[in-house]
Amino acid sequence: MKTLIKNARIISPGLDMAGAAVEIDGKTITAVYPAGSELPAADKVVDAEGRMLLPGFIDIHSHGAGGCDTCDAKLESIRTIAECKMKEGVTSWLPTTLTLSPKVLQDVCTVVAEYMKNQEFAKTPGVHLEGPYINPKQCGAQNPAFVREADYEEVAALNDIARVLLISMAPEMPGAIDFIAKASAAGIRCSAGHSAATHADFMKAKAAGLAHLTHYCNQMSPVHHREIGLVGSGLLDRDIKIEIICDTIHLCGDMLKMVFKNKAIDQMLMITDSLACSWMPDGPGDLGGLPIIVKDGVARLQEGGNLAGSTLRFAHGLKNVHRLTGLPLSELVKATSWNQAQSLGLEGLGKIAPGFAADMVLLDDEFNTVKVFIDGAEKYSA
């Protein structure tokens, strides 16, 4: 079946083209037509009415949404989260775990593998393990009761159940460097998070294969003029990719502006770090056994008040950054999907170009989701 999306403002890495059209054959983009082109016949024609058409977002760090958490270890929870993500314009996402027991992580991977057999909503190429190999002094909203030493055999066993694409861990902890080397050799990306690492620790980890920094600036060693920590390492280093929660809460607007001014856009990874309370009203909740409270859309632990993930919807993070920085959307979209796909080896994702998967989101001028296409099918319409 051929589909034609016409009269669209196509925004893709290095491309911002008004009045354009996209041709889809089955699951794949087959052609992009600039304004004024003679358009081919199609079985289905969608008029974008001048709205923005972007590559579908790839959220590599999302714990939950719609009242459900990945660590519920229930297929219905994964389906609910994937549907909420899809409504945000996310076409691929990594169900993200918490620092919990080996049994819970096994159960999570089992239900994710089940969802992957019939991906009704946002696609799931693999899992993101956030913890359990973190620094207990940097737990944040993670449960310290389940923190443990890096164990590659545990992760290898989880990877046999459902593909593990990414793991967030503290590189300064015992056994971490050897773990990073083994995991990286197996194609699992390692990210420094919930960590008090020094810059020297960071450099050792990078040499072993460290690729990302998890929710940049949050629960990581800060900049000091005699020790730049992980925050300084993220700005200084030109290879490391950094996850950014762009809700203006986890990083204030000025910090977002500073980071986007001083870090190459090719190394930026926008995420939501969304919780079960995303897509839900304010009120009490739970995160890995720890009580949280959501007030004015901000989630915090009830005890201590630490920030506990976000309620951010992906497209609104892009809106925040665009309005704060003034950077062109044709550059910013690298950080919403292309960089994620490149880092995690997700071939054929992240661009609107011939040969790429027809995963796209149509947004209005306020960055609200109008339509979502996954593998060429119109999966959501507002």
Side-chain angles (χ1 to χ4, degrees):
M1 176 176 165
K2 288 192 175 183
T3 301
L4 186 72
I5 305 173
K6 67 177 185 177
N7 192 22
R9 179 187 170 190
I10 296 176
I11 300 169
S12 187
L15 178 71
D16 190 336
M17 190 162 57
V22 178
E23 181 187 57
I24 303 165
D25 191 348
K27 297 181 178 182
T28 307
I29 296 169
T30 49
V32 175
Y33 298 95
S37 299
E38 184 176 343
L39 300 178
D43 301 297
K44 179 180 179 180
V45 177
V46 177
D47 188 349
E49 299 179 347
R51 297 186 178 101
M52 299 180 286
L53 187 68
L54 281 65
F57 305 132
I58 301 176
D59 194 352
I60 65 171
H61 192 150
S62 170
H63 297 280
C68 295
D69 192 292
T70 294
C71 289
D72 295 342
K74 296 177 181 177
L75 179 59
E76 190 57 38
S77 290
I78 300 297
R79 291 181 70 255
T80 296
I81 301 164
E83 184 175 14
C84 289
K85 290 280 111 184
M86 179 187 71
K87 291 177 180 178
E88 296 175 20
V90 173
T91 52
S92 293
W93 73 295
L94 301 190
T96 304
T97 63
L98 296 161
T99 295
L100 289 168
S101 70
K103 176 65 165 62
V104 171
L105 297 183
Q106 291 167 14
D107 291 345
V108 168
C109 287
T110 299
V111 298
V112 170
E114 185 66 24
Y115 177 77
M116 290 169 74
K117 294 176 184 176
N118 181 25
Q119 305 191 49
E120 303 163 71
F121 306 113
K123 298 189 289 191
T124 301
V127 176
H128 176 178
L129 302 176
E130 186 180 5
Y133 317 132
I134 61 176
N135 189 324
K137 296 179 181 178
Q138 296 281 164
C139 279
Q142 298 273 357
N143 194 332
F146 297 106
V147 173
R148 48 195 182 272
E149 191 169 313
D151 181 352
Y152 178 71
E153 295 308 316
E154 179 182 10
V155 172
L158 295 173
N159 191 46
D160 286 340
I161 301 170
R163 188 181 180 196
V164 176
L165 282 173
L166 181 63
I167 180 162
S168 294
M169 58 182 298
E172 74 277 16
M173 300 304 289
I177 299 301
D178 182 60
F179 177 94
I180 292 169
K182 288 179 179 177
S184 299
I188 300 170
R189 284 285 190 236
C190 293
S191 184
H194 293 273
S195 167
T198 64
H199 182 61
D201 293 328
F202 165 80
M203 292 303 293
K204 290 177 186 175
K206 184 188 172 189
L210 187 77
H212 296 180
L213 299 183
T214 300
H215 44 51
Y216 186 63
C217 295
N218 288 272
Q219 290 304 326
M220 66 174 53
S221 40
V223 174
H224 186 275
H225 57 282
R226 287 189 292 272
E227 170 52 60
I228 66 170
L230 281 178
V231 172
S233 299
L235 284 180
L236 180 65
D237 191 87
R238 289 302 177 226
D239 300 314
I240 202 77
K241 288 182 167 57
I242 60 174
E243 293 183 357
I244 304 277
I245 307 172
C246 301
D247 59 358
T248 71
I249 298 163
H250 285 77
L251 286 79
C252 71
D254 290 335
M255 187 66 185
L256 285 171
K257 286 191 283 188
M258 187 175 82
V259 173
F260 275 88
K261 182 176 181 178
N262 290 284
K263 184 77 174 173
I265 197 74
D266 293 333
Q267 308 305 325
M268 308 288 271
L269 305 163
M270 291 191 203
I271 61 165
T272 61
D273 196 4
S274 65
L275 304 182
C277 52
S278 177
W279 287 84
M280 299 292 286
D282 284 359
D286 177 89
L287 182 66
L290 300 176
I292 64 170
I293 189 75
V294 181
K295 183 178 180 181
D296 299 326
V298 180
R300 296 184 180 274
L301 291 183
Q302 286 191 20
E303 184 175 342
N306 285 346
L307 282 170
S310 86
T311 63
L312 179 67
R313 300 183 187 186
F314 202 109
H316 294 168
L318 174 60
K319 174 184 176 181
N320 289 338
V321 174
H322 180 53
R323 295 190 174 176
L324 279 166
T325 68
L327 290 170
L329 287 170
S330 58
E331 284 295 297
L332 291 178
V333 291
K334 295 177 182 177
T336 62
S337 49
W338 177 245
N339 296 343
Q340 289 86 333
Q342 291 297 289
S343 182
L344 299 180
L346 305 177
E347 294 186 7
L349 299 181
K351 281 188 176 181
I352 299 178
F356 280 74
D359 292 355
M360 294 173 284
V361 56
L362 189 67
L363 302 176
D364 65 20
D365 288 343
E366 290 300 314
F367 292 77
N368 297 309
T369 308
V370 178
K371 291 182 184 294
V372 177
F373 301 84
I374 299 177
D375 285 333
E378 185 177 319
K379 299 288 285 188
Y380 174 73
S381 182

